Amino acid sequence: MSTVHIEAKPDHLLRLAWQKDPMGAVVEMIWNALDAEASLVTVDLEINELGGIESVSITDDGHGMPNASCKSYFGGLGGSWKTAAKVSPHLKRGLHGRSGQGRLRAFALGGQVRWVTVAEAAGGRVERTVISGAVDRPTDFDISEPESVHLSRGTRVEASVPGDFVSRLTQEDTAQQLASTFAPFLAANLDVRIVYQGTLLDPATVWTDMAEYPLPWPDSDGYAAPLLRVIEWPKDVGRVLALCDTNGVVLDDPSPGIQAPGYQFTAYLLWDGFVERRDDLSLAELDEIAPLLALAREKLRTHFKRREQERRARLIQEWKTEGVYPYSAGPVEPAQAVEREMFDEVATRIARRLPGGTQSKKTTLRLLREVISHDPGGLYPVLDELFRLPQSEQEELKRILQRTSLSEVIKATGQVTDRLDFLAVLKTLVFEPEVSRTVRERSELHKILERETWIFGDAYALMVSDQSLDAVLRRHLKELGREPENGQLNPVCREDGRKGIVDLMLGRAHRGSFGREHLVVELKAPKVKIGQVEVAQIKSYAEAIVSDPQFRDARVSWDFWIVSTEMSEVVRRDASAPNRPPGCIAEWEGGVRIWARTWSEIIDDCEDRLHFYRDRLNHDPAAEHAVEYLQRVHGDVAPATATA
């Protein structure tokens, strides 16, 4: 017998033993057996009449440890042979052990530990060796002389004099925990069995889902067609796309290369054609089997898309049954379908963080719906404030929201339907006799339109509302970067010396140039017909601006609109003159045009711009839609007769 000594402090070695973690010690001993190419590993507990553990043994049928190697195995700390080998010598299994410290974990199972190992020596002789250690001298291991035997190869670890924590191994769920730990390995290596206290560990008892897909691969080289096996786990086991032979022996494990948020899985691509390419599998992405890997990944994406649809449908049905789902009927319009899709995806992602109470859950889901419906861009801050998501879930949610254009689609479709609803509102305000005759231009119609300037042109932005010509000048110069250093400007007056008040001034940049277009709109109450007096008013504003040298700039063109429901016959003749665009009643030098426009013309133009989207959205703005929009957006200034 000889003794090997580890050059380390005893307390350091005992810290490496993790004596309070007997489960971890059993796991480590099983991994050591699997690294030794065992196909059967058995764990047995000797339990006394009082239910206490007397001893623990782990037996395997692996290749064992030759006596000549035992000194190097037990005499060092670190530097395991497995670090360089990476795979087992015969079966080419991926090796678990790396640190050269696993044997110390046996002290978590008992104060006295023995390894009885049978292995083939260099000359072909089968020999048995016994290695012994004790927790009270963890730096020393006794190694027996080799004994010739006629026994099967393998190793048995025997631990006696167990400590206080070993009783944890008798808990009812111990076998289940071990099955969960080794399920990926067992699923990939179907010829391996692990038995704990007479119970065979079965990965099928712990995986959450398993599916298999034959892959149509025309270049199978005479081998059976490849098979993709996808196994989902309840916890993270490390995602890989394991390349295996048909017996499940893992030959390489590249990244799966797909996104499947919320799913923990291992994918096994089984094909005997990998065996002859074993030495080159690390370059598989670059050789002739790269299309096979691409095919497997595409099938994985299809698999998890289906699984996500199933999970989402199941959750939503549960919410409907519980009465907390915030939609009572199916989507009627495409815009509603887009909104519902985004709600379902986000809500099912955060489902496990919803409050437990029915009313609280209902309120939270309703809030999510309102945010998605009216401000999808602000969804992420709301979710972060509500749920304080951990970093991993924050990144996942951001990826979901950024992955698609759902947010922008909802925003765009919502904007289109809002515009269609507003046009219905505007028709009521200017055409319905009971409403139009009571609408006040400045306090009602004007206030509503300054929030809906898109009706005059999508590219225009509001610059001035209900302000003097002096304010128009200041904003004009600001846009051109010509503001006077001292801030002093000469007052702008109409030809009769009065200071005009402009209803709306809008502006936009010329596309592809440095020029700008300014639009001045003078609104009249629906009951006021555009006649010579009204035309004279808008022309006086134009004259005041054209005549004032402070406004002059060759880069700017000006349009002046006078708008009401009707116009006199004389004005209509001017607006339909053959040498000018329809509606234009005068053109002056310097890019100045004056227009008389009716609401019917403006609304028709808007509907022409929106008709494509209206048809695609199948949106027909009914009266109740228009009233709801008016109350929601303009309730503070809307005429009472229009919202009744």
Side-chain angles (χ1 to χ4, degrees), residues 296-525:
R297 287 174 173 137
E298 186 57 36
K299 180 60 71 173
L300 277 175
R301 293 187 184 96
T302 302
H303 169 83
F304 285 109
K305 183 177 181 180
R306 174 184 63 81
R307 292 285 291 137
E308 183 60 20
Q309 290 171 344
E310 292 172 352
R311 185 183 74 91
R312 185 181 301 176
R314 186 173 60 254
L315 268 174
I316 292 171
Q317 186 55 52
E318 291 174 1
W319 290 339
K320 289 179 178 178
T321 302
E322 194 177 351
V324 299
Y325 190 63
Y327 298 92
S328 58
V332 176
E333 302 174 359
Q336 295 173 342
V338 171
E339 176 192 320
R340 182 82 62 90
E341 181 181 349
M342 187 174 188
F343 173 86
D344 289 349
E345 180 158 4
V346 172
T348 52
R349 290 291 179 191
I350 62 167
R352 65 179 180 275
R353 299 197 172 272
L354 292 174
T358 299
Q359 188 57 46
S360 298
K361 188 185 301 183
K362 183 175 183 178
T363 301
T364 304
L365 291 176
R366 179 68 184 181
L367 174 61
L368 286 182
R369 175 189 173 175
E370 291 300 317
V371 174
I372 290 172
S373 176
H374 297 111
D375 184 23
L379 178 60
Y380 177 76
V382 171
L383 293 176
D384 187 41
E385 182 67 26
L386 278 175
F387 302 111
R388 300 296 182 184
L389 302 172
Q391 187 65 31
S392 60
E393 293 187 28
Q394 289 183 36
E395 295 303 320
E396 179 181 315
L397 189 59
K398 284 182 179 178
R399 186 191 60 75
I400 292 170
L401 297 178
Q402 294 169 359
R403 182 193 64 198
T404 68
S405 59
L406 281 177
S407 176
E408 293 305 316
V409 170
I410 292 172
K411 188 183 299 182
T413 54
Q415 184 181 61
V416 170
T417 54
D418 280 351
R419 288 185 175 187
L420 291 169
D421 288 340
F422 176 70
L423 291 179
V425 167
L426 188 57
K427 290 177 183 178
T428 300
L429 294 177
V430 299
F431 296 137
E432 288 290 336
E434 293 183 1
V435 177
S436 60
R437 66 169 175 261
T438 63
V439 172
R440 294 186 290 271
E441 179 271 316
R442 188 169 300 277
S443 63
E444 294 175 344
L445 184 61
H446 181 165
K447 293 299 182 182
I448 290 173
L449 289 172
E450 72 179 12
R451 304 174 189 176
E452 307 278 357
T453 56
W454 62 270
I455 69 166
F456 304 111
D458 290 300
Y460 283 114
L462 180 64
M463 298 172 67
V464 168
S465 176
D466 199 24
Q467 295 188 46
S468 68
L469 290 170
D470 291 345
V472 170
L473 174 61
R474 290 187 182 279
R475 186 58 191 270
H476 166 74
L477 295 177
K478 181 180 180 181
E479 290 297 326
L480 298 176
R482 286 174 40 199
E483 295 174 282
E485 294 183 3
N486 59 7
Q488 296 297 315
L489 294 171
N490 295 325
V492 182
C493 296
R494 295 160 66 180
E495 195 172 22
D496 59 6
R498 290 184 296 166
K499 289 187 176 183
I501 302 297
V502 171
D503 284 343
L504 298 171
M505 176 186 174
L506 312 175
R508 67 179 178 184
H510 282 306
R511 183 171 295 179
S513 72
F514 295 104
R516 290 191 60 81
E517 296 178 25
H518 289 169
L519 170 63
V520 175
V521 179
E522 179 65 21
L523 301 168
K524 294 302 176 182

Side-chain angles (χ1 to χ4, degrees), residues 600-625:
S600 61
E601 295 169 346
I602 293 173
I603 291 172
D604 285 346
D605 287 346
C606 291
E607 288 184 334
D608 285 344
R609 297 202 306 269
L610 293 172
H611 85 278
F612 173 82
Y613 303 101
R614 177 182 58 201
D615 293 343
R616 290 296 185 272
L617 294 172
N618 191 30
H619 181 72
D620 182 14
E624 59 268 22
H625 294 158

